Amino acid sequence: MLLQQLLNGVVVGGVYALFAVGFNLVFGVQRLLNLAHGAVFMTGAFVAYYTVRAGGPLILGFVAAAVASGVLAMIIEVVCFRRLRKTGDAEFGAIISSMGAGMVIMTFWQWVSQTQVLRFPFDTVPVVIYRFWGLRVSLLQLLMAAAAIAIVLVMAWFIYRTAFGRQVRAVTDSERASMLVGINPNRIYNLTYFISGALAGAAGVLVGLAFNNINFTMGEPYLMFGFAIIILGGLGSIPGALLASLIFGMVQTLSIAYLPSGLTTAFIFSAMFLILLVRPNGLMGREEAGSLRGRR
């Protein structure tokens, strides 16, 4: 039973990682919190649902969700953050403007869905159960884990092993200095938001499939959990967000299985509080938030 719950927690943690890494990526580059990230996550689930309902295959819905969410995040960057960033003091303004953008997006999907809970067709993912070492793993869980691992690995390679990644870290160190060597910061910010949004959209599809419950408020709890995860892992630290996501997923699954109903959230945040007492900057954070710096 314990191993089964730990396995379930790893799968859940992989989905949290997609959400939290994208959330943390924006903070690592811009030092801004995008509180519309939950709405972008929810948009991915809706786009995939309507693609599948229109007769498209699930893989098409998954790709469409990631692209649409990425484009939406780019629009949010241009509309909500770009002008504020030029002021040099955008932290509070970014929180307010991104909250407003999130509410607009939620209202749009509320209108489109007519406030109904939407569900993927029953046969979208066949119900197949595999058994090994006494554990039960569904085909959906395998697909979720495989998708999360593949996307995170590709993203990590893109950030830390490509010319684009070097440009991202250069802009993170100094926007003005990066301009002197021919880097366009606005392009870097735009692509960073696209990656962040695509990760959120992919996570939204996986959550929508896992619970088969898509509604216009589904992004709100994940925004809260994502915020907790990036604090626990260390603000701006992508490896920290990955580690914290796995820990968060396993603790959440174990607490649901073994604690009385209603205590799960309290237990999770109490555990996070105790960890932060020992590690105030998070598990892999630094006093200077943002581990994108210094990686060459």
Side-chain angles (χ1 to χ4, degrees):
M1 180 65 174
L2 177 60
L3 289 177
Q4 181 68 59
Q5 296 304 326
L6 289 175
L7 177 62
N8 295 339
V10 170
V11 175
V12 172
V15 178
Y16 280 142
L18 293 180
F19 185 93
V21 166
F23 198 15
N24 218 11
L25 180 62
V26 169
F27 183 87
V29 174
Q30 286 196 326
R31 306 299 188 270
L32 299 176
L33 287 173
N34 177 16
L35 296 187
H37 200 65
V40 174
F41 161 90
M42 173 262 299
T43 296
F46 272 104
V47 170
Y49 167 80
Y50 283 114
T51 302
V52 171
R53 291 294 296 181
L58 179 59
I59 185 63
L60 177 61
F62 191 85
V63 172
V67 172
S69 298
V71 171
L72 178 60
M74 292 171 67
I75 294 172
I76 291 172
E77 190 275 327
V78 173
V79 174
C80 298
F81 295 122
R82 183 164 296 184
R83 290 182 63 84
L84 288 172
R85 194 170 61 244
K86 294 178 181 179
T87 67
D89 187 25
E91 287 83 359
F92 182 72
I95 290 174
I96 299 301
S97 62
S98 61
M99 285 177 60
M103 293 178 66
V104 170
I105 296 168
M106 287 175 60
T107 302
F108 171 77
W109 287 115
Q110 180 184 15
W111 172 73
V112 170
S113 65
Q114 298 181 346
T115 323
Q116 295 180 354
V117 174
L118 306 178
R119 304 184 190 281
F120 284 102
F122 179 75
D123 59 347
T124 300
V125 178
V127 180
V128 179
I129 303 296
Y130 301 98
R131 298 177 185 273
F132 59 94
W133 300 334
L135 302 176
R136 297 174 68 255
V137 183
S138 68
L139 175 61
L140 177 58
Q141 285 180 310
L142 290 176
L143 291 176
M144 290 171 63
I149 291 171
I151 293 171
V152 168
L153 288 177
V154 170
M155 191 278 301
W157 171 80
F158 198 57
I159 292 296
Y160 292 121
R161 292 290 184 268
T162 66
F164 170 77
R166 289 190 291 273
Q167 292 177 6
V168 168
R169 297 194 297 278
V171 172
T172 302
D173 284 333
S174 172
E175 181 178 316
R176 183 169 298 179
S178 67
M179 293 174 66
L180 294 176
V181 295
I183 298 173
N184 182 350
N186 286 332
R187 175 178 172 272
I188 298 301
Y189 291 140
N190 232 232
L191 290 176
T192 300
Y193 271 83
F194 179 83
I195 295 171
S196 172
L199 291 173
V205 178
L206 296 179
V207 169
L209 288 169
F211 298 102
N212 209 7
N213 185 320
I214 301 170
N215 63 83
F216 73 96
T217 63
M218 65 181 289
E220 294 305 291
Y222 284 88
L223 182 64
M224 179 182 69
F225 291 152
F227 190 53
I229 287 169
I230 67 172
I231 292 176
L232 178 61
L235 286 169
S237 171
I238 291 177
L242 292 173
L243 176 61
S245 296
L246 293 176
I247 293 173
F248 199 92
M250 287 189 285
V251 170
Q252 184 184 49
T253 303
L254 290 172
S255 60
I256 290 173
Y258 295 109
L259 291 181
S261 177
L263 293 181
T264 300
T265 302
F267 176 79
I268 290 172
F269 283 92
S270 297
M272 186 186 76
F273 174 73
L274 292 176
I275 293 173
L276 291 176
L277 286 178
V278 180
R279 299 279 301 178
N281 297 313
L283 296 173
M284 300 184 70
R286 304 176 181 179
E287 291 186 9
E288 177 67 29
S291 69
L292 289 180
R293 297 186 179 198
R295 294 290 303 269
R296 294 291 185 268

